[in-house]
Amino acid sequence: MSSAMYNNNESAIIDPSGAQYELPALSENLEFWMTRLPPKLKALPIIQLAIPGSHNTMTYTIEKNNDIGPDEPVPIRNIGRRLSIVIKPIIFNWSINQEENVKDQLDGGIRYLDLRVATKPGDNNIYFLHGLYGDNISQPLHIVNEWLNQHPNEVIIVDFQHFYNFDEANHRSLINQIKFIFRGKMCPVYNKFDNITLQWLSLQKYQVFVVYRNAIAQYYTDLWPGGLWPTPWPETVDSTKLVNFLNNGLQKRSRDAGYVSQCLLTPTKTYVTKHICGNLRRNLTPVCRSVTMPWVEQHSPGNGGMNIVITDFVTYDNFSFSRKVIQRNETLLQS
């Protein structure tokens, strides 16, 4: 524990000489924001901290002419094979949720990565995808690991959300890659989060929570089941419904597990048809941002409060979303 002390209202620090000085803004240095948190916050369970994340983190790897993914309905895939020059650009416009690479996202404070993966017929490799296939998973995950090597007191939640065209052999292959890439850094699974704090994680040299939302995770001691990190999906294009969904989610969240608030609007087939020449960033994201940024400002982390918060296009306005989420941790210094 530092020799510095907090004053009664936690808004400033008193050093050993008796001098008082203000806490720096918690979001002042996004690249090292966990490293720079005050000791009081590092001693809290990680599920009580406000942590920014990116929705569909690796969609920046998707290119317009890539193959249509198995997450698209069969009729769309069939039409796409015949009219790819028309269909693929439309899918592309509504599938890209992030435009900056994962290193830049991490440098901008993002600490939760939302991943969707798939195989291709006759291909043993595993790829990211969302509507269209993205890159092979290997290089981006190695970039994440190298970033962690250079930021030893930062922690990332890596969430494998969906698997497409996967059999048991594919799962084993992916898990072997994960364990090889993040060897020595993966936090083992615990049923309770009481003692899982940034302070404890640093002492143990654990930097990665790997959430693996498939039943095979139960056979591994370092793959966290989805039930310990619930992430309910709003599935709406209506901003009022989204805010109500977010509020209800926090009211019902368990105090004994992590929780992901998805601050995003999802285009339906009808919506895309009506905005056939549009895209996610131009048509839906500004509407979403207009209600979710105030929502973040109105909620606090803590026991049963806001935890992981994700959105699209996290680099917007110099990572204003990350800054807002991280700064909400300041409320915990006032309790």
Side-chain angles (χ1 to χ4, degrees):
M1 179 66 73
S2 169
S3 59
M5 299 175 59
Y6 292 96
N7 69 358
N8 289 335
N9 65 11
E10 300 289 351
S11 63
I13 294 178
I14 301 173
D15 69 21
S17 68
Q20 181 172 306
Y21 56 95
E22 293 297 317
L23 280 169
L26 300 183
S27 59
E28 187 176 45
N29 186 331
L30 295 176
E31 186 176 349
F32 292 95
W33 73 265
M34 286 181 166
T35 305
R36 293 166 52 86
L37 286 179
K40 179 176 180 178
L41 299 187
K42 289 183 179 180
L44 290 175
I46 194 166
I47 61 171
Q48 293 186 23
L49 297 177
I51 300 171
S54 56
H55 174 230
N56 276 321
T57 303
M58 301 296 183
T59 50
Y60 70 89
T61 70
I62 294 173
E63 296 184 3
K64 193 172 295 185
N65 293 321
N66 288 4
D67 291 338
I68 298 174
D71 55 335
E72 287 292 329
V74 172
I76 297 296
R77 282 182 271 164
N78 289 339
I79 296 172
R81 279 193 286 270
R82 297 191 297 270
L83 295 171
S84 63
I85 194 170
V86 175
I87 298 299
K88 285 184 178 181
I90 296 173
I91 297 175
F92 177 85
N93 286 340
W94 295 97
S95 295
I96 303 302
N97 303 94
Q98 309 298 333
E99 294 178 331
E100 302 298 330
N101 65 60
V102 69
K103 180 185 180 300
D104 288 346
Q105 292 182 43
L106 294 172
D107 285 346
I110 295 301
R111 296 294 180 270
Y112 170 93
L113 312 181
D114 166 25
L115 310 180
R116 294 140 199 255
V117 295
T119 63
K120 294 180 180 180
D123 186 339
N124 292 327
N125 293 308
I126 299 170
Y127 300 86
F128 296 116
L129 91 162
H130 186 225
L132 302 173
Y133 281 97
D135 281 357
N136 184 304
I137 66 166
S138 181
Q139 184 180 17
L141 292 184
H142 276 289
I143 290 172
V144 172
N145 185 64
E146 181 57 32
W147 188 91
L148 287 169
N149 288 339
Q150 297 169 6
H151 301 76
N153 294 306
E154 299 294 310
V155 174
I156 300 173
I157 300 101
V158 180
D159 192 343
F160 287 86
Q161 286 265 6
H162 299 287
F163 309 87
Y164 298 92
N165 285 350
F166 257 65
D167 57 22
E168 184 174 341
N170 298 136
H171 280 293
R172 300 289 183 188
S173 174
L174 174 57
I175 291 167
N176 287 340
Q177 288 189 65
I178 294 168
K179 292 171 76 69
F180 175 76
I181 291 171
F182 296 121
R183 57 193 180 278
K185 295 184 177 73
M186 294 169 62
C187 180
V189 177
Y190 291 86
N191 291 325
K192 293 187 177 181
F193 284 87
D194 297 9
N195 298 316
I196 302 181
T197 66
L198 290 178
Q199 183 181 53
W200 178 82
L201 291 164
S202 180
L203 289 172
Q204 301 296 323
K205 301 189 184 306
Y206 296 141
Q207 290 184 269
V208 183
F209 292 87
V210 176
V211 184
Y212 203 91
R213 297 181 190 273
N214 182 273
I216 200 171
Q218 66 187 303
Y219 301 110
Y220 295 85
T221 60
D222 47 11
L223 297 182
W224 289 73
L228 290 176
W229 300 87
T231 175
W233 178 30
E235 196 176 3
T236 182
V237 293
D238 187 307
S239 59
T240 300
K241 289 181 179 179
L242 171 60
V243 171
N244 290 336
F245 183 91
L246 294 171
N247 288 335
N248 291 335
L250 282 189
Q251 290 172 8
K252 296 176 181 178
R253 74 158 288 200
S254 168
R255 295 171 181 259
D256 300 318
Y259 186 78
V260 182
S261 296
Q262 297 196 27
C263 291
L264 50 99
L265 295 173
T266 305
T268 62
K269 295 176 187 175
T270 301
Y271 187 91
V272 172
T273 300
K274 289 181 178 179
H275 303 81
I276 199 72
C277 295
N279 60 56
L280 183 66
R281 178 163 191 157
R282 183 171 68 246
N283 291 90
L284 275 183
T285 303
V287 178
C288 181
R289 191 177 293 120
S290 71
V291 297
T292 54
M293 291 292 277
W295 183 86
V296 170
E297 185 65 38
Q298 293 162 10
H299 290 80
S300 299
N303 191 9
M306 185 169 62
N307 182 206
I308 296 167
V309 190
I310 70 173
T311 199
D312 296 321
F313 303 107
V314 294
T315 61
Y316 172 79
D317 191 24
N318 192 26
F319 289 95
S320 60
F321 172 78
S322 293
R323 295 180 191 279
K324 182 78 71 177
V325 173
I326 294 166
Q327 198 61 40
R328 296 306 293 152
N329 289 303
E330 196 170 51
T331 62
L332 299 173
L333 297 172
Q334 301 164 4
S335 59

